[in-house]
Amino acid sequence: MKKYVINGQKKLSGTVAVSGAKNVALKVIIAACLTDEPVTIENIPLISDVFVMLELIKEIGGTYKIEDHTVTIHVPEIKNTEISLESGAKTKTSSMFLAPLLARAKKAKIPNPGGCRIGARPIDRHIEGLEKMGATIGYHSEDGYFNASTEGLKGVEYTFDKNTHTGTETLIIAASTATGTTIIKNAAEESEIDDLIAFLNSMGAKINRSGYREITIDGVEKLHGTTYSIMSDSNEVVTWAILAALSGGEIKITKVNPEPIKIFLEKFKEAGGNWEANADEYRLYVSDIKALSIQTGIYPGFMTDWQGPWALFETQGRGVSVIHETIYENRFGYVSELKKMGAKIKFFTPEVDNPSEFYNFNIENGKSPENQAIEISGPTTLHDAIVKVTDLRAGATLVLAALIAKGKTIIYGVEQIERGYEDFAGRLAMLGADIEVIEEA
Ligand code: EPU
């Protein structure tokens, strides 16, 4: 087990470059399996989730070579269509291998996916879409595997009941080499999906956004190799932005793509923040933080990934702010830990008309879920504590909290953070943070 020991309230300054987007890297690695030619992906973040996916490439019979932030993947032939439980359970995206395995080998055996513990995270929407494309998929509760097979994926018109980011991507990957045309309706709009589409198109796919929340894929017989550089990580930008603002505004962030974080910048301004931008370099600052309430939403709404850092930001805001989480049913893992550090946060259950439609997660019996919102009273001086990370973004929130808190905070479970932030501790130390990484037996 690894922990971070952070001595807070050090002066932070300098320049930090945003890494390549985790939520693109993981999907382009999967999409690279659609061709028997080598595929080179640049700007890959060196994070543990990426290495899990690369191990899965080896499991199915491919190879990879990684040099600095460039990885070359080559899957000349699918030799194995089963993803092992051990690797599969490490990240939710392992289940997305269903798409290239069905496309190229016509069968797949995938363990029930793992990943961050931020709710039930089922993949029913992915499964239903693939079934409509001609796959037969059964879940065996005795061994915890999905068994899938097809006589050949074929194009369909399919409407997702509810928004799904990775579900949309699974269908895009599956449809790229399916027979005929697939039209995905109520498709998710995240910019990471556009990057995946551009990547697949550079391999010879024919995919376009044909309307509002609609994607059309004309299946092609064969895809070829490519060299592609993925976009920078918008969730990481928001993490650095909150740190920059809370630590006095001396941090400059480079490789910022402002488009996907438009709503964050809007809310940041409303809460009293501002920034200077020079090409892709941003310096964010704030002197007096106002309480401001937000509700997470599907793209282009306020992303669920940002609500933890935003909650920390509002512990320093004047007044009472509310955060209503609508995408996941369990994404407040940082709350109990921030409270140990002195934050004043209370859970409550907001009134919602028709919760089954309102929330993005599946709801049994139409019953409104409890404690989907928090109320934060600020400003509060945070102090040291011993805290535990429950998931990736909660982990980043706690690290940021420890950096602005008085005293020495110990954070356990930081492996979760390293799933998604490359060399987080090293980059923080470069900015002047007093952070020690300790491996415990
Ligand atoms: N859902 C279902 N059934 C499905 C698919 C989704 O019930 O078949 C539920 C999910 O459990 C969740 C909601 O629907 O409650 C939304 O799920 P969605 O499929 O949109 O999100 P995801 O694929 O689970 C991706 C990112 C998340 C990011 C969300 C929202 C990846 C690997 N993960 O998750 O990123 O928060 O979209 O944009 O792309 C992270 O990076 O920390 C992270 C969790």
Side-chain angles (χ1 to χ4, degrees):
M1 194 154 175
K2 230 190 227 183
K3 65 182 180 188
Y4 291 168
V5 178
I6 297 177
N7 247 316
Q9 297 194 333
K10 301 289 173 219
K11 185 177 157 45
L12 303 182
S13 65
T15 302
V16 64
V18 179
S19 308
K22 165 179 88 82
N23 289 343
V24 176
L26 304 179
K27 302 10 160 351
V28 292
I29 290 173
I30 295 166
C33 301
L34 286 173
T35 175
D36 55 10
E37 295 180 15
V39 170
T40 298
I41 310 158
E42 298 167 348
N43 201 27
I44 282 282
L46 305 179
I47 52 178
S48 60
D49 266 11
V50 159
F51 288 103
V52 171
M53 298 309 275
L54 292 173
E55 279 315 299
L56 291 175
I57 293 286
K58 280 187 14 200
E59 272 189 26
I60 64 166
T63 57
Y64 71 86
K65 199 174 80 213
I66 190 153
E67 228 171 272
D68 192 13
H69 290 84
T70 299
V71 66
T72 300
I73 293 168
H74 191 195
V75 190
E77 185 194 345
I78 307 268
K79 291 191 184 137
N80 171 29
T81 53
E82 180 174 335
I83 298 293
S84 72
L85 180 61
E86 205 188 342
S87 329
K90 285 187 189 146
T91 166
K92 188 196 167 216
T93 29
S94 60
S95 63
M96 294 175 71
F97 271 97
L98 270 173
L101 289 177
L102 281 171
R104 268 185 80 186
K106 296 199 165 73
K107 59 178 184 164
K109 191 173 171 192
I110 308 279
N112 209 355
C116 272
R117 289 176 303 215
I118 51 180
R121 306 195 80 191
I123 55 165
D124 52 311
R125 299 174 204 160
H126 306 222
I127 301 287
E128 191 186 285
L130 289 171
E131 283 174 341
K132 289 278 168 357
M133 294 184 70
T136 306
I137 305 177
Y139 180 63
H140 296 261
S141 54
E142 316 85 65
D143 63 1
Y145 278 85
F146 289 95
N147 278 279
S149 62
T150 182
E151 279 169 17
L153 295 174
K154 50 185 189 323
V156 282
E157 186 173 313
Y158 179 69
T159 306
F160 279 112
D161 267 356
K162 283 190 177 210
N163 188 71
T164 166
H165 176 165
T166 45
T168 301
E169 293 169 327
T170 298
L171 285 209
I172 291 172
I173 295 171
S176 294
T177 54
T179 317
T181 298
T182 299
I183 301 176
I184 308 175
K185 296 198 167 170
N186 197 21
E189 298 233 286
E190 278 86 354
S191 38
E192 289 93 346
I193 299 176
D194 292 304
D195 216 25
L196 172 68
I197 292 175
F199 168 79
L200 280 162
N201 283 343
S202 77
M203 291 171 73
K206 292 201 172 116
I207 310 168
N208 70 88
R209 284 210 183 259
S210 43
Y212 173 65
R213 297 184 65 78
E214 183 185 286
I215 297 171
T216 298
I217 304 125
D218 287 318
V220 296
E221 209 171 297
K222 210 169 161 20
L223 294 176
H224 53 72
T226 186
T227 296
Y228 187 86
S229 181
I230 64 169
M231 65 186 266
S232 66
D233 195 311
S234 41
N235 296 327
E236 201 185 290
V237 175
V238 169
T239 309
W240 293 121
I242 297 284
L243 177 66
L246 290 179
S247 64
E250 298 290 324
I251 298 175
K252 286 183 187 153
I253 312 166
T254 62
K255 296 199 183 172
V256 175
N257 174 2
E259 188 56 33
I261 58 159
K262 242 163 114 181
I263 182 91
F264 166 76
L265 291 174
E266 237 170 65
K267 295 289 171 194
F268 182 67
K269 197 160 208 170
E270 261 182 69
N274 217 331
W275 59 90
E276 282 162 13
N278 184 1
D280 71 354
E281 181 177 281
Y282 276 63
R283 186 176 77 80
L284 291 97
Y285 52 90
V286 64
S287 50
D288 181 21
I289 305 175
K290 296 183 194 121
L292 185 75
S293 298
I294 56 123
Q295 178 174 299
T296 61
I298 59 176
Y299 192 85
F302 194 97
M303 292 285 102
T304 167
D305 309 277
W306 311 336
Q307 57 99 337
W310 186 265
L312 172 69
F313 182 64
E314 285 299 357
T315 63
Q316 306 308 303
R318 230 175 344 102
V320 176
S321 320
V322 166
I323 296 180
H324 187 176
E325 169 60 40
T326 72
I327 307 296
Y328 290 107
E329 70 273 50
N330 188 9
R331 213 171 194 182
F332 286 120
Y334 60 85
V335 169
S336 57
E337 309 308 282
L338 279 189
K339 283 169 76 170
K340 290 183 195 162
M341 300 178 74
K344 296 196 184 89
I345 308 181
K346 277 197 303 214
F347 277 104
F348 72 99
T349 302
E351 292 259 330
V352 165
D353 290 337
N354 199 348
S356 308
E357 248 178 50
F358 178 83
Y359 288 111
N360 197 192
F361 48 87
N362 298 340
I363 291 184
E364 306 274 317
N365 318 318
K367 193 175 168 285
S368 203
E370 292 185 350
N371 292 336
Q372 276 301 129
I374 53 171
E375 192 183 275
I376 307 155
S377 303
T380 26
T381 306
L382 298 179
H383 55 74
D384 50 1
I386 296 179
V387 296
K388 177 141 189 3
V389 173
T390 51
D391 64 81
L392 170 60
R393 307 294 165 197
T397 304
L398 295 177
V399 170
L400 266 45
L403 290 167
I404 63 161
K406 276 199 289 194
K408 191 191 270 190
T409 294
I410 301 177
I411 306 178
Y412 282 98
V414 298
E415 289 83 354
Q416 287 282 347
I417 303 172
E418 297 177 356
R419 291 182 45 210
Y421 292 87
E422 177 178 330
D423 189 24
F424 203 35
R427 288 195 283 167
L428 287 168
M430 297 271 285
L431 296 173
D434 180 347
I435 178 167
E436 201 183 342
V437 184
I438 299 174
E439 292 267 7
E440 281 185 346

